[in-house]
mmCIF file of all heavy atoms in Angstrom:
data_model
loop_
_atom_site.group_PDB
_atom_site.id
_atom_site.type_symbol
_atom_site.label_atom_id
_atom_site.label_comp_id
_atom_site.label_asym_id
_atom_site.label_seq_id
_atom_site.Cartn_x
_atom_site.Cartn_y
_atom_site.Cartn_z
ATOM 1 N N ILE A 172 5.040 -21.834 28.682
ATOM 2 C CA ILE A 172 4.308 -22.616 29.682
ATOM 3 C C ILE A 172 2.837 -22.241 29.677
ATOM 4 O O ILE A 172 1.960 -23.112 29.757
ATOM 5 C CB ILE A 172 4.956 -22.458 31.071
ATOM 6 C CG1 ILE A 172 6.328 -23.138 31.053
ATOM 7 C CG2 ILE A 172 4.068 -23.040 32.169
ATOM 8 C CD1 ILE A 172 7.167 -22.907 32.284
ATOM 9 N N ARG A 173 2.542 -20.943 29.540
ATOM 10 C CA ARG A 173 1.138 -20.522 29.478
ATOM 11 C C ARG A 173 0.447 -21.095 28.240
ATOM 12 O O ARG A 173 -0.700 -21.540 28.312
ATOM 13 C CB ARG A 173 1.033 -18.998 29.483
ATOM 14 C CG ARG A 173 1.240 -18.401 30.856
ATOM 15 C CD ARG A 173 0.718 -16.978 30.980
ATOM 16 N NE ARG A 173 1.063 -16.094 29.889
ATOM 17 C CZ ARG A 173 2.157 -15.328 29.832
ATOM 18 N NH1 ARG A 173 3.019 -15.338 30.818
ATOM 19 N NH2 ARG A 173 2.366 -14.534 28.811
ATOM 20 N N LEU A 174 1.132 -21.084 27.101
ATOM 21 C CA LEU A 174 0.544 -21.637 25.877
ATOM 22 C C LEU A 174 0.292 -23.134 26.015
ATOM 23 O O LEU A 174 -0.768 -23.636 25.612
ATOM 24 C CB LEU A 174 1.463 -21.374 24.678
ATOM 25 C CG LEU A 174 1.542 -19.936 24.186
ATOM 26 C CD1 LEU A 174 2.641 -19.796 23.136
ATOM 27 C CD2 LEU A 174 0.202 -19.478 23.640
ATOM 28 N N GLU A 175 1.259 -23.847 26.593
ATOM 29 C CA GLU A 175 1.075 -25.286 26.784
ATOM 30 C C GLU A 175 -0.021 -25.582 27.798
ATOM 31 O O GLU A 175 -0.754 -26.563 27.644
ATOM 32 C CB GLU A 175 2.397 -25.935 27.189
ATOM 33 C CG GLU A 175 3.391 -25.971 26.037
ATOM 34 C CD GLU A 175 4.778 -26.427 26.419
ATOM 35 O OE1 GLU A 175 5.106 -26.477 27.628
ATOM 36 O OE2 GLU A 175 5.551 -26.736 25.498
ATOM 37 N N THR A 176 -0.160 -24.726 28.794
ATOM 38 C CA THR A 176 -1.240 -24.884 29.768
ATOM 39 C C THR A 176 -2.589 -24.663 29.095
ATOM 40 O O THR A 176 -3.526 -25.446 29.292
ATOM 41 C CB THR A 176 -1.057 -23.915 30.955
ATOM 42 O OG1 THR A 176 0.183 -24.220 31.606
ATOM 43 C CG2 THR A 176 -2.200 -24.022 31.947
ATOM 44 N N ASP A 177 -2.695 -23.623 28.286
ATOM 45 C CA ASP A 177 -3.940 -23.381 27.549
ATOM 46 C C ASP A 177 -4.264 -24.563 26.632
ATOM 47 O O ASP A 177 -5.420 -24.994 26.546
ATOM 48 C CB ASP A 177 -3.850 -22.099 26.728
ATOM 49 C CG ASP A 177 -3.909 -20.841 27.578
ATOM 50 O OD1 ASP A 177 -4.259 -20.934 28.780
ATOM 51 O OD2 ASP A 177 -3.586 -19.752 27.050
ATOM 52 N N ALA A 178 -3.242 -25.079 25.970
ATOM 53 C CA ALA A 178 -3.446 -26.236 25.091
ATOM 54 C C ALA A 178 -3.919 -27.448 25.900
ATOM 55 O O ALA A 178 -4.819 -28.177 25.486
ATOM 56 C CB ALA A 178 -2.155 -26.554 24.338
ATOM 57 N N TYR A 179 -3.306 -27.644 27.060
ATOM 58 C CA TYR A 179 -3.713 -28.745 27.937
ATOM 59 C C TYR A 179 -5.205 -28.628 28.277
ATOM 60 O O TYR A 179 -5.940 -29.614 28.225
ATOM 61 C CB TYR A 179 -2.869 -28.746 29.214
ATOM 62 C CG TYR A 179 -3.446 -29.586 30.306
ATOM 63 C CD1 TYR A 179 -3.279 -30.973 30.311
ATOM 64 C CD2 TYR A 179 -4.199 -29.012 31.328
ATOM 65 C CE1 TYR A 179 -3.835 -31.756 31.309
ATOM 66 C CE2 TYR A 179 -4.755 -29.789 32.331
ATOM 67 C CZ TYR A 179 -4.571 -31.152 32.313
ATOM 68 O OH TYR A 179 -5.128 -31.920 33.294
ATOM 69 N N TYR A 180 -5.653 -27.425 28.618
ATOM 70 C CA TYR A 180 -7.061 -27.250 28.963
ATOM 71 C C TYR A 180 -7.986 -27.490 27.764
ATOM 72 O O TYR A 180 -9.094 -28.010 27.926
ATOM 73 C CB TYR A 180 -7.312 -25.889 29.598
ATOM 74 C CG TYR A 180 -6.868 -25.828 31.043
ATOM 75 C CD1 TYR A 180 -5.947 -24.884 31.474
ATOM 76 C CD2 TYR A 180 -7.361 -26.738 31.983
ATOM 77 C CE1 TYR A 180 -5.533 -24.838 32.809
ATOM 78 C CE2 TYR A 180 -6.957 -26.701 33.302
ATOM 79 C CZ TYR A 180 -6.044 -25.752 33.708
ATOM 80 O OH TYR A 180 -5.644 -25.719 35.027
ATOM 81 N N LEU A 181 -7.551 -27.150 26.566
ATOM 82 C CA LEU A 181 -8.344 -27.461 25.371
ATOM 83 C C LEU A 181 -8.434 -28.975 25.179
ATOM 84 O O LEU A 181 -9.498 -29.506 24.842
ATOM 85 C CB LEU A 181 -7.717 -26.822 24.131
ATOM 86 C CG LEU A 181 -7.867 -25.315 23.982
ATOM 87 C CD1 LEU A 181 -7.042 -24.816 22.795
ATOM 88 C CD2 LEU A 181 -9.331 -24.931 23.816
ATOM 89 N N ILE A 182 -7.316 -29.660 25.396
ATOM 90 C CA ILE A 182 -7.306 -31.121 25.283
ATOM 91 C C ILE A 182 -8.205 -31.730 26.357
ATOM 92 O O ILE A 182 -9.009 -32.626 26.068
ATOM 93 C CB ILE A 182 -5.865 -31.654 25.384
ATOM 94 C CG1 ILE A 182 -5.042 -31.195 24.172
ATOM 95 C CG2 ILE A 182 -5.857 -33.178 25.502
ATOM 96 C CD1 ILE A 182 -3.541 -31.380 24.330
ATOM 97 N N LEU A 183 -8.094 -31.238 27.579
ATOM 98 C CA LEU A 183 -8.927 -31.750 28.671
ATOM 99 C C LEU A 183 -10.414 -31.557 28.367
ATOM 100 O O LEU A 183 -11.222 -32.465 28.587
ATOM 101 C CB LEU A 183 -8.554 -31.061 29.990
ATOM 102 C CG LEU A 183 -9.348 -31.497 31.215
ATOM 103 C CD1 LEU A 183 -9.201 -32.996 31.470
ATOM 104 C CD2 LEU A 183 -8.899 -30.697 32.441
ATOM 105 N N LYS A 184 -10.781 -30.414 27.836
ATOM 106 C CA LYS A 184 -12.184 -30.163 27.467
ATOM 107 C C LYS A 184 -12.644 -31.176 26.420
ATOM 108 O O LYS A 184 -13.762 -31.705 26.500
ATOM 109 C CB LYS A 184 -12.337 -28.734 26.927
ATOM 110 C CG LYS A 184 -13.697 -28.403 26.361
ATOM 111 C CD LYS A 184 -14.608 -27.833 27.398
ATOM 112 C CE LYS A 184 -15.898 -27.292 26.830
ATOM 113 N NZ LYS A 184 -16.884 -28.288 26.477
ATOM 114 N N SER A 185 -11.780 -31.472 25.467
ATOM 115 C CA SER A 185 -12.120 -32.456 24.436
ATOM 116 C C SER A 185 -12.251 -33.858 25.025
ATOM 117 O O SER A 185 -13.064 -34.658 24.551
ATOM 118 C CB SER A 185 -11.067 -32.447 23.321
ATOM 119 O OG SER A 185 -11.105 -31.216 22.639
ATOM 120 N N ILE A 186 -11.461 -34.157 26.035
ATOM 121 C CA ILE A 186 -11.576 -35.449 26.730
ATOM 122 C C ILE A 186 -12.915 -35.495 27.474
ATOM 123 O O ILE A 186 -13.641 -36.485 27.402
ATOM 124 C CB ILE A 186 -10.394 -35.653 27.698
ATOM 125 C CG1 ILE A 186 -9.095 -35.853 26.903
ATOM 126 C CG2 ILE A 186 -10.655 -36.835 28.635
ATOM 127 C CD1 ILE A 186 -7.841 -35.720 27.733
ATOM 128 N N GLN A 187 -13.240 -34.409 28.157
ATOM 129 C CA GLN A 187 -14.499 -34.349 28.898
ATOM 130 C C GLN A 187 -15.708 -34.426 27.958
ATOM 131 O O GLN A 187 -16.737 -34.999 28.309
ATOM 132 C CB GLN A 187 -14.557 -33.072 29.730
ATOM 133 C CG GLN A 187 -13.565 -33.078 30.865
ATOM 134 C CD GLN A 187 -13.392 -31.716 31.517
ATOM 135 O OE1 GLN A 187 -13.604 -30.673 30.907
ATOM 136 N NE2 GLN A 187 -12.967 -31.729 32.774
ATOM 137 N N ASP A 188 -15.555 -33.862 26.754
ATOM 138 C CA ASP A 188 -16.627 -33.915 25.749
ATOM 139 C C ASP A 188 -16.629 -35.237 24.980
ATOM 140 O O ASP A 188 -17.417 -35.407 24.057
ATOM 141 C CB ASP A 188 -16.470 -32.763 24.749
ATOM 142 C CG ASP A 188 -16.745 -31.416 25.380
ATOM 143 O OD1 ASP A 188 -17.339 -31.354 26.476
ATOM 144 O OD2 ASP A 188 -16.344 -30.399 24.764
ATOM 145 N N ARG A 189 -15.719 -36.131 25.326
ATOM 146 C CA ARG A 189 -15.599 -37.460 24.721
ATOM 147 C C ARG A 189 -15.202 -37.416 23.245
ATOM 148 O O ARG A 189 -15.574 -38.288 22.451
ATOM 149 C CB ARG A 189 -16.870 -38.264 24.921
ATOM 150 C CG ARG A 189 -17.291 -38.335 26.387
ATOM 151 C CD ARG A 189 -17.740 -39.710 26.770
ATOM 152 N NE ARG A 189 -18.199 -39.751 28.149
ATOM 153 C CZ ARG A 189 -17.415 -40.002 29.184
ATOM 154 N NH1 ARG A 189 -16.144 -40.196 29.010
ATOM 155 N NH2 ARG A 189 -17.908 -40.046 30.410
ATOM 156 N N THR A 190 -14.441 -36.389 22.877
ATOM 157 C CA THR A 190 -13.862 -36.326 21.538
ATOM 158 C C THR A 190 -12.640 -37.228 21.458
ATOM 159 O O THR A 190 -12.368 -37.829 20.428
ATOM 160 C CB THR A 190 -13.465 -34.868 21.195
ATOM 161 O OG1 THR A 190 -14.613 -34.035 21.330
ATOM 162 C CG2 THR A 190 -12.915 -34.756 19.782
ATOM 163 N N PHE A 191 -11.909 -37.296 22.571
ATOM 164 C CA PHE A 191 -10.718 -38.138 22.667
ATOM 165 C C PHE A 191 -10.828 -39.000 23.920
ATOM 166 O O PHE A 191 -11.438 -38.602 24.902
ATOM 167 C CB PHE A 191 -9.438 -37.297 22.785
ATOM 168 C CG PHE A 191 -9.217 -36.350 21.659
ATOM 169 C CD1 PHE A 191 -9.328 -34.984 21.858
ATOM 170 C CD2 PHE A 191 -8.882 -36.812 20.392
ATOM 171 C CE1 PHE A 191 -9.125 -34.097 20.820
ATOM 172 C CE2 PHE A 191 -8.676 -35.935 19.351
ATOM 173 C CZ PHE A 191 -8.798 -34.568 19.558
ATOM 174 N N ASP A 192 -10.196 -40.159 23.859
ATOM 175 C CA ASP A 192 -9.999 -40.984 25.051
ATOM 176 C C ASP A 192 -8.584 -40.738 25.546
ATOM 177 O O ASP A 192 -7.635 -40.740 24.746
ATOM 178 C CB ASP A 192 -10.141 -42.475 24.727
ATOM 179 C CG ASP A 192 -11.578 -42.939 24.686
ATOM 180 O OD1 ASP A 192 -12.440 -42.280 25.300
ATOM 181 O OD2 ASP A 192 -11.832 -43.971 24.039
ATOM 182 N N ILE A 193 -8.425 -40.538 26.848
ATOM 183 C CA ILE A 193 -7.092 -40.425 27.426
ATOM 184 C C ILE A 193 -6.703 -41.793 27.974
ATOM 185 O O ILE A 193 -7.436 -42.390 28.765
ATOM 186 C CB ILE A 193 -7.001 -39.322 28.509
ATOM 187 C CG1 ILE A 193 -5.570 -39.227 29.048
ATOM 188 C CG2 ILE A 193 -8.012 -39.529 29.600
ATOM 189 C CD1 ILE A 193 -5.331 -38.069 29.994
ATOM 190 N N ILE A 194 -5.580 -42.281 27.519
ATOM 191 C CA ILE A 194 -5.070 -43.578 27.941
ATOM 192 C C ILE A 194 -4.177 -43.374 29.158
ATOM 193 O O ILE A 194 -3.324 -42.475 29.164
ATOM 194 C CB ILE A 194 -4.267 -44.245 26.795
ATOM 195 C CG1 ILE A 194 -5.132 -44.393 25.537
ATOM 196 C CG2 ILE A 194 -3.676 -45.572 27.245
ATOM 197 C CD1 ILE A 194 -6.378 -45.230 25.717
ATOM 198 N N VAL A 195 -4.374 -44.183 30.172
ATOM 199 C CA VAL A 195 -3.535 -44.097 31.370
ATOM 200 C C VAL A 195 -2.859 -45.440 31.608
ATOM 201 O O VAL A 195 -3.373 -46.486 31.230
ATOM 202 C CB VAL A 195 -4.323 -43.650 32.624
ATOM 203 C CG1 VAL A 195 -4.908 -42.267 32.429
ATOM 204 C CG2 VAL A 195 -5.389 -44.641 32.988
ATOM 205 N N SER A 196 -1.712 -45.358 32.242
ATOM 206 C CA SER A 196 -0.936 -46.565 32.531
ATOM 207 C C SER A 196 -0.494 -46.556 33.982
ATOM 208 O O SER A 196 -0.574 -45.515 34.655
ATOM 209 C CB SER A 196 0.289 -46.614 31.619
ATOM 210 O OG SER A 196 1.241 -45.647 32.032
ATOM 211 N N PRO A 197 0.011 -47.661 34.461
ATOM 212 C CA PRO A 197 0.550 -47.687 35.825
ATOM 213 C C PRO A 197 1.695 -46.690 36.027
ATOM 214 O O PRO A 197 1.920 -46.221 37.133
ATOM 215 C CB PRO A 197 1.056 -49.125 35.980
ATOM 216 C CG PRO A 197 0.289 -49.920 34.985
ATOM 217 C CD PRO A 197 0.022 -48.997 33.838
ATOM 218 N N VAL A 198 2.374 -46.337 34.947
ATOM 219 C CA VAL A 198 3.480 -45.375 35.039
ATOM 220 C C VAL A 198 2.959 -44.007 35.479
ATOM 221 O O VAL A 198 3.595 -43.315 36.278
ATOM 222 C CB VAL A 198 4.236 -45.259 33.696
ATOM 223 C CG1 VAL A 198 5.464 -44.375 33.840
ATOM 224 C CG2 VAL A 198 4.608 -46.621 33.167
ATOM 225 N N HIS A 199 1.796 -43.615 34.979
ATOM 226 C CA HIS A 199 1.193 -42.349 35.406
ATOM 227 C C HIS A 199 1.037 -42.319 36.930
ATOM 228 O O HIS A 199 1.465 -41.370 37.587
ATOM 229 C CB HIS A 199 -0.206 -42.169 34.787
ATOM 230 C CG HIS A 199 -0.207 -41.753 33.366
ATOM 231 N ND1 HIS A 199 -0.558 -42.624 32.359
ATOM 232 C CD2 HIS A 199 0.074 -40.574 32.770
ATOM 233 C CE1 HIS A 199 -0.492 -41.985 31.206
ATOM 234 N NE2 HIS A 199 -0.110 -40.736 31.429
ATOM 235 N N PHE A 200 0.417 -43.352 37.455
ATOM 236 C CA PHE A 200 0.110 -43.372 38.885
ATOM 237 C C PHE A 200 1.377 -43.457 39.737
ATOM 238 O O PHE A 200 1.444 -42.858 40.803
ATOM 239 C CB PHE A 200 -0.873 -44.498 39.200
ATOM 240 C CG PHE A 200 -2.217 -44.259 38.584
ATOM 241 C CD1 PHE A 200 -2.583 -44.917 37.412
ATOM 242 C CD2 PHE A 200 -3.110 -43.359 39.135
ATOM 243 C CE1 PHE A 200 -3.820 -44.680 36.823
ATOM 244 C CE2 PHE A 200 -4.348 -43.114 38.559
ATOM 245 C CZ PHE A 200 -4.699 -43.776 37.392
ATOM 246 N N LYS A 201 2.381 -44.160 39.249
ATOM 247 C CA LYS A 201 3.655 -44.261 39.962
ATOM 248 C C LYS A 201 4.338 -42.888 40.021
ATOM 249 O O LYS A 201 4.799 -42.460 41.080
ATOM 250 C CB LYS A 201 4.554 -45.289 39.253
ATOM 251 C CG LYS A 201 5.884 -45.490 39.863
ATOM 252 C CD LYS A 201 5.838 -46.634 40.815
ATOM 253 C CE LYS A 201 7.256 -46.997 41.221
ATOM 254 N NZ LYS A 201 7.302 -47.663 42.480
ATOM 255 N N GLU A 202 4.383 -42.195 38.894
ATOM 256 C CA GLU A 202 5.012 -40.867 38.857
ATOM 257 C C GLU A 202 4.223 -39.858 39.679
ATOM 258 O O GLU A 202 4.801 -39.052 40.415
ATOM 259 C CB GLU A 202 5.118 -40.364 37.414
ATOM 260 C CG GLU A 202 6.411 -40.680 36.746
ATOM 261 C CD GLU A 202 6.590 -39.910 35.460
ATOM 262 O OE1 GLU A 202 6.149 -40.419 34.418
ATOM 263 O OE2 GLU A 202 7.160 -38.800 35.518
ATOM 264 N N ILE A 203 2.921 -39.890 39.554
ATOM 265 C CA ILE A 203 2.078 -38.929 40.272
ATOM 266 C C ILE A 203 2.166 -39.150 41.778
ATOM 267 O O ILE A 203 2.150 -38.198 42.553
ATOM 268 C CB ILE A 203 0.633 -38.979 39.745
ATOM 269 C CG1 ILE A 203 0.593 -38.377 38.338
ATOM 270 C CG2 ILE A 203 -0.331 -38.263 40.681
ATOM 271 C CD1 ILE A 203 -0.707 -38.595 37.594
ATOM 272 N N ALA A 204 2.304 -40.391 42.206
ATOM 273 C CA ALA A 204 2.437 -40.684 43.637
ATOM 274 C C ALA A 204 3.674 -40.032 44.245
ATOM 275 O O ALA A 204 3.715 -39.778 45.446
ATOM 276 C CB ALA A 204 2.474 -42.201 43.859
ATOM 277 N N ALA A 205 4.659 -39.723 43.423
ATOM 278 C CA ALA A 205 5.901 -39.117 43.913
ATOM 279 C C ALA A 205 5.847 -37.587 43.948
ATOM 280 O O ALA A 205 6.793 -36.944 44.430
ATOM 281 C CB ALA A 205 7.075 -39.563 43.046
ATOM 282 N N ILE A 206 4.763 -36.996 43.475
ATOM 283 C CA ILE A 206 4.639 -35.531 43.489
ATOM 284 C C ILE A 206 4.457 -35.061 44.927
ATOM 285 O O ILE A 206 3.591 -35.563 45.646
ATOM 286 C CB ILE A 206 3.461 -35.073 42.596
ATOM 287 C CG1 ILE A 206 3.768 -35.403 41.124
ATOM 288 C CG2 ILE A 206 3.180 -33.585 42.782
ATOM 289 C CD1 ILE A 206 2.604 -35.152 40.180
ATOM 290 N N GLU A 207 5.266 -34.112 45.331
ATOM 291 C CA GLU A 207 5.241 -33.647 46.725
ATOM 292 C C GLU A 207 3.990 -32.844 47.064
ATOM 293 O O GLU A 207 3.450 -32.973 48.156
ATOM 294 C CB GLU A 207 6.490 -32.822 47.017
ATOM 295 C CG GLU A 207 7.738 -33.661 47.113
ATOM 296 C CD GLU A 207 8.956 -32.852 47.543
ATOM 297 O OE1 GLU A 207 8.795 -31.807 48.205
ATOM 298 O OE2 GLU A 207 10.063 -33.291 47.206
ATOM 299 N N ASP A 208 3.538 -31.998 46.152
ATOM 300 C CA ASP A 208 2.379 -31.151 46.411
ATOM 301 C C ASP A 208 1.126 -32.024 46.458
ATOM 302 O O ASP A 208 0.697 -32.588 45.452
ATOM 303 C CB ASP A 208 2.261 -30.100 45.310
ATOM 304 C CG ASP A 208 1.129 -29.128 45.543
ATOM 305 O OD1 ASP A 208 -0.022 -29.573 45.739
ATOM 306 O OD2 ASP A 208 1.384 -27.902 45.516
ATOM 307 N N ILE A 209 0.530 -32.126 47.640
ATOM 308 C CA ILE A 209 -0.604 -33.028 47.828
ATOM 309 C C ILE A 209 -1.810 -32.620 46.985
ATOM 310 O O ILE A 209 -2.512 -33.471 46.431
ATOM 311 C CB ILE A 209 -0.989 -33.168 49.319
ATOM 312 C CG1 ILE A 209 -1.964 -34.322 49.489
ATOM 313 C CG2 ILE A 209 -1.535 -31.879 49.878
ATOM 314 C CD1 ILE A 209 -2.101 -34.803 50.901
ATOM 315 N N TYR A 210 -2.048 -31.317 46.836
ATOM 316 C CA TYR A 210 -3.170 -30.841 46.029
ATOM 317 C C TYR A 210 -2.990 -31.282 44.574
ATOM 318 O O TYR A 210 -3.914 -31.808 43.954
ATOM 319 C CB TYR A 210 -3.282 -29.311 46.117
ATOM 320 C CG TYR A 210 -4.293 -28.738 45.181
ATOM 321 C CD1 TYR A 210 -5.666 -28.855 45.432
ATOM 322 C CD2 TYR A 210 -3.904 -28.084 44.014
ATOM 323 C CE1 TYR A 210 -6.604 -28.338 44.557
ATOM 324 C CE2 TYR A 210 -4.835 -27.566 43.135
ATOM 325 C CZ TYR A 210 -6.178 -27.690 43.412
ATOM 326 O OH TYR A 210 -7.106 -27.183 42.535
ATOM 327 N N GLU A 211 -1.801 -31.081 44.046
ATOM 328 C CA GLU A 211 -1.500 -31.481 42.668
ATOM 329 C C GLU A 211 -1.644 -32.999 42.505
ATOM 330 O O GLU A 211 -2.266 -33.481 41.545
ATOM 331 C CB GLU A 211 -0.077 -31.039 42.311
ATOM 332 C CG GLU A 211 0.346 -31.350 40.902
ATOM 333 C CD GLU A 211 1.737 -30.814 40.574
ATOM 334 O OE1 GLU A 211 2.371 -30.148 41.430
ATOM 335 O OE2 GLU A 211 2.198 -31.081 39.457
ATOM 336 N N ARG A 212 -1.095 -33.738 43.448
ATOM 337 C CA ARG A 212 -1.151 -35.200 43.397
ATOM 338 C C ARG A 212 -2.597 -35.697 43.401
ATOM 339 O O ARG A 212 -2.985 -36.544 42.587
ATOM 340 C CB ARG A 212 -0.366 -35.777 44.577
ATOM 341 C CG ARG A 212 -0.183 -37.274 44.511
ATOM 342 C CD ARG A 212 0.785 -37.777 45.570
ATOM 343 N NE ARG A 212 0.318 -37.530 46.915
ATOM 344 C CZ ARG A 212 0.973 -36.815 47.835
ATOM 345 N NH1 ARG A 212 2.127 -36.279 47.582
ATOM 346 N NH2 ARG A 212 0.463 -36.660 49.041
ATOM 347 N N ILE A 213 -3.417 -35.160 44.281
ATOM 348 C CA ILE A 213 -4.817 -35.590 44.369
ATOM 349 C C ILE A 213 -5.584 -35.196 43.115
ATOM 350 O O ILE A 213 -6.337 -36.006 42.561
ATOM 351 C CB ILE A 213 -5.490 -35.018 45.646
ATOM 352 C CG1 ILE A 213 -4.904 -35.700 46.879
ATOM 353 C CG2 ILE A 213 -7.001 -35.181 45.585
ATOM 354 C CD1 ILE A 213 -5.306 -35.059 48.190
ATOM 355 N N GLU A 214 -5.399 -33.969 42.656
ATOM 356 C CA GLU A 214 -6.133 -33.509 41.479
ATOM 357 C C GLU A 214 -5.808 -34.367 40.246
ATOM 358 O O GLU A 214 -6.707 -34.757 39.493
ATOM 359 C CB GLU A 214 -5.822 -32.035 41.184
ATOM 360 C CG GLU A 214 -6.723 -31.482 40.102
ATOM 361 C CD GLU A 214 -6.684 -29.974 40.002
ATOM 362 O OE1 GLU A 214 -6.737 -29.294 41.036
ATOM 363 O OE2 GLU A 214 -6.609 -29.489 38.871
ATOM 364 N N LEU A 215 -4.543 -34.685 40.062
ATOM 365 C CA LEU A 215 -4.161 -35.506 38.904
ATOM 366 C C LEU A 215 -4.685 -36.936 39.034
ATOM 367 O O LEU A 215 -5.150 -37.522 38.052
ATOM 368 C CB LEU A 215 -2.645 -35.501 38.727
ATOM 369 C CG LEU A 215 -2.043 -34.161 38.325
ATOM 370 C CD1 LEU A 215 -0.525 -34.247 38.278
ATOM 371 C CD2 LEU A 215 -2.608 -33.662 37.009
ATOM 372 N N THR A 216 -4.632 -37.482 40.223
ATOM 373 C CA THR A 216 -5.143 -38.838 40.435
ATOM 374 C C THR A 216 -6.640 -38.904 40.165
ATOM 375 O O THR A 216 -7.118 -39.821 39.490
ATOM 376 C CB THR A 216 -4.816 -39.313 41.869
ATOM 377 O OG1 THR A 216 -3.397 -39.268 42.059
ATOM 378 C CG2 THR A 216 -5.313 -40.726 42.111
ATOM 379 N N VAL A 217 -7.384 -37.932 40.673
ATOM 380 C CA VAL A 217 -8.835 -37.887 40.441
ATOM 381 C C VAL A 217 -9.120 -37.745 38.945
ATOM 382 O O VAL A 217 -9.989 -38.441 38.398
ATOM 383 C CB VAL A 217 -9.484 -36.748 41.254
ATOM 384 C CG1 VAL A 217 -10.917 -36.486 40.806
ATOM 385 C CG2 VAL A 217 -9.436 -37.063 42.742
ATOM 386 N N LEU A 218 -8.390 -36.874 38.277
ATOM 387 C CA LEU A 218 -8.575 -36.666 36.842
ATOM 388 C C LEU A 218 -8.366 -37.962 36.058
ATOM 389 O O LEU A 218 -9.204 -38.348 35.238
ATOM 390 C CB LEU A 218 -7.601 -35.594 36.344
ATOM 391 C CG LEU A 218 -7.568 -35.397 34.837
ATOM 392 C CD1 LEU A 218 -8.703 -34.492 34.413
ATOM 393 C CD2 LEU A 218 -6.243 -34.813 34.411
ATOM 394 N N LEU A 219 -7.264 -38.654 36.340
ATOM 395 C CA LEU A 219 -6.974 -39.894 35.611
ATOM 396 C C LEU A 219 -7.973 -40.998 35.949
ATOM 397 O O LEU A 219 -8.357 -41.772 35.073
ATOM 398 C CB LEU A 219 -5.546 -40.350 35.884
ATOM 399 C CG LEU A 219 -4.450 -39.443 35.332
ATOM 400 C CD1 LEU A 219 -3.077 -40.024 35.629
ATOM 401 C CD2 LEU A 219 -4.619 -39.183 33.849
#
């Protein structure tokens, strides 16, 4: 989990640096809306 988290942050940095485009769909927002932790839900929604 730590390795995948580190990898996620490397990918996120590349997205922020515009090396990659992250594609989002309505499925993302539907699934994220069901997350109970409000902090997690808000952070992911803002990110997407």
